Structures are given as C-alpha cells and as structure tokens.
Amino acid sequence: MVKVFENTDNLNQKLATLFVEKAQEAIEANGKFTVALTGGSSPAGLHRLLASDTYKNKVDWNKTYIFWGDERWVPLDDEKSNAGAAFKDFLNNIPIPEGNVFPMWKKGFEPEAYAKEYETILDNHLEDGDKFDLIILGMGDDGHTASLFPNQEVILKEKEKKVAAYFLAPQDMYRITLTAPLINKAKQIVFIVFGEKKSNALYEVIEGKSNSNLYPSQLINEGSKNVTWMVDKAAASKLSL
C-alpha cells in the first residue's frame, strides 16, 4: 500500500497517530508494545512530534520497548549514531524507563558479538521471539533500507540470523542490522520516504523489475498487507498512482 502526502508535516502527523494507535492496540492485547525505529534524518520530525505534549501522553511508555532497525557501529555520542539522534529528539523527552530502550551498540563488544547479544534481547521481548508490533524503515536514494545495501550479498542473502553485523567497505565501517527475514515477520512495517532525490529508487522498488540485489528494499514483503509506504509528493513523482 502506498500513501502519498502533500508534505512531510502531514506525513509525520499521520505516522505519529499510527504509532500511538499501534502502541495502544498492542498494549491492550499483549501488555506491551515493541517497535523498531529507523535512523538517518528521515525520522527526526516524527520523533519530535512523539515527544510533544500532543502525543507523548497517549502512550504508556512503561510498557513500550524501543529497538532499532539498524545502526552504524559508533558510540551513542557520535554524530553518526542513529540511537544518539533519537535520544536527543525523542527518548530523552519522554518518561520511558532506561531498561526499555535497546540501542544497537554497547561498549566493550565487537559488532558481531553484539549482533548475537541483540538476538537474545529480541528473543526475550518480541512476541514468539521474532514479531515486532511495528517496524519503521527509511529508504536511501540507492534503494537500501536498514543496513541492507546494494550488492552486499553477505547480508542480502542472510536467511538464518535475526540480527547481523558486517563491514561495509564503501563506508569503511561496521553496520549492525535486523535481517530481511526478521523484518518481514513484523505485524506492521512502515516505510517513510521523502524528497525528489529518492523518486527514482522508489519507482524501481515499487514498480520496477525485481532486482533486490540492486534495490534491497524489494526484499521487504513487496505487495503485502503489512507493508505501508508513506511518501511525500516529491518522492512519489515517478509512480503511476
């Protein structure tokens, strides 16, 4: 499902409302809400909204558990840290217990070892050990999502692991990420995509030929009812909607 919004403000308001709805539904049904956040610049507006008085009092944060879809292997105070940005814009401004937040980085660990540790954390918190209530994803202008990058077969072909770490040579750094098989088990997946520079990749992912090696976002349940694309008009400019 593709939903096109006039601008990013309208999109973020709708997504914040959806976040609250999914949280309330999950807590009522199972006593907790599990969500994986996306990184990069895309979620900044959403995070600030969720921390505002309009939204933050509508979620029981004591029963909310925050994870990430992926992370650069850098400390939380590094400007490249997805979790660090989320703490600044969002998590430091809501009454969520420290023990309910699980960044994809931990001092004293190597990335591969922490990927295994993160799997154990997920096993202890997710429904059936592998089902998130909500996963929010972004998409790069190269068609990547989470840390599923084009032509990186070591991660794109992964079938067994829930969480994987690998060295991404073009960026000269380690990345840690949820894998496509785990992401696809989520009850609800939402992609958020902004801007004209992503319009070509969005077209290829949604309407182009199947080529997940080049456009890894295609690995995420294409056409499934549990995937919603929330995009602005600029990003959607090449779609035949």
Side-chain angles (χ1 to χ4, degrees):
M1 179 189 302
V2 180
K3 296 183 177 180
V4 181
F5 295 84
E6 187 70 26
N7 53 55
T8 57
D9 287 342
N10 291 345
L11 190 161
N12 284 328
Q13 289 169 7
K14 185 66 175 181
L15 182 52
T17 298
L18 177 66
F19 185 104
V20 169
E21 290 174 352
K22 293 299 178 183
Q24 293 174 345
E25 290 172 5
I27 291 168
E28 182 176 356
N30 299 307
K32 63 181 178 180
F33 172 53
T34 57
V35 57
L37 304 179
T38 188
S41 59
S42 296
L46 169 67
H47 290 170
R48 288 191 289 267
L49 274 180
L50 290 173
S52 70
D53 290 340
T54 304
Y55 291 95
K56 71 178 180 182
N57 297 321
K58 296 180 179 179
V59 175
D60 186 343
W61 298 109
N62 289 311
K63 297 178 180 178
T64 297
Y65 296 85
I66 303 287
F67 303 84
W68 275 264
D70 78 312
E71 183 61 277
R72 304 171 179 91
W73 191 252
V74 295
L76 298 183
D77 59 0
D78 190 292
E79 63 180 10
K80 295 179 180 178
S81 171
N82 290 334
F87 273 104
K88 180 181 178 181
D89 290 334
F90 176 26
L91 300 172
N92 288 339
N93 304 309
I94 60 171
I96 190 168
E98 182 180 353
N100 289 18
V101 181
F102 300 95
M104 275 184 156
W105 182 86
K106 192 170 185 179
K107 186 177 181 179
F109 277 82
E110 294 299 319
E112 293 92 342
Y114 195 62
K116 292 181 180 179
E117 178 75 9
Y118 211 79
E119 284 193 350
T120 300
I121 295 170
L122 295 181
D123 289 342
N124 292 334
H125 287 87
L126 300 187
E127 186 174 336
D128 298 329
D130 56 14
K131 290 184 175 64
F132 278 94
D133 293 308
L134 174 64
I135 295 179
I136 301 171
L137 296 171
M139 187 194 73
D141 54 13
D142 60 356
H144 88 269
T145 191
S147 283
L148 310 179
F149 283 87
N151 302 311
Q152 301 296 317
E153 291 196 8
V154 65
I155 189 64
L156 298 181
K157 302 298 184 183
E158 180 59 58
K159 300 297 183 185
E160 302 299 326
K161 296 177 182 178
K162 299 177 183 180
V163 185
Y166 73 104
F167 186 76
L168 183 61
Q171 295 184 4
D172 193 30
M173 68 165 51
Y174 276 91
R175 309 278 304 214
I176 183 170
T177 186
L178 304 183
T179 62
L182 178 71
I183 293 171
N184 281 328
K185 292 180 180 179
K187 296 178 183 178
Q188 180 68 54
I189 301 166
V190 177
F191 278 90
I192 52 174
V193 185
F194 309 138
E196 185 178 2
K197 70 177 184 178
K198 297 184 179 181
S199 61
N200 183 66
L202 185 63
Y203 167 80
E204 294 293 345
V205 169
I206 294 178
E207 297 184 8
K209 295 180 180 179
S210 179
N211 187 350
S212 59
N213 191 53
L214 188 59
Y215 297 102
S217 292
Q218 290 182 342
L219 290 170
I220 309 305
N221 277 343
E222 185 177 7
S224 174
K225 292 182 180 179
N226 72 328
V227 178
T228 299
W229 289 83
M230 300 179 71
V231 305
D232 69 358
K233 289 183 69 174
S237 61
K238 295 184 179 180
L239 298 180
S240 58
L241 299 175

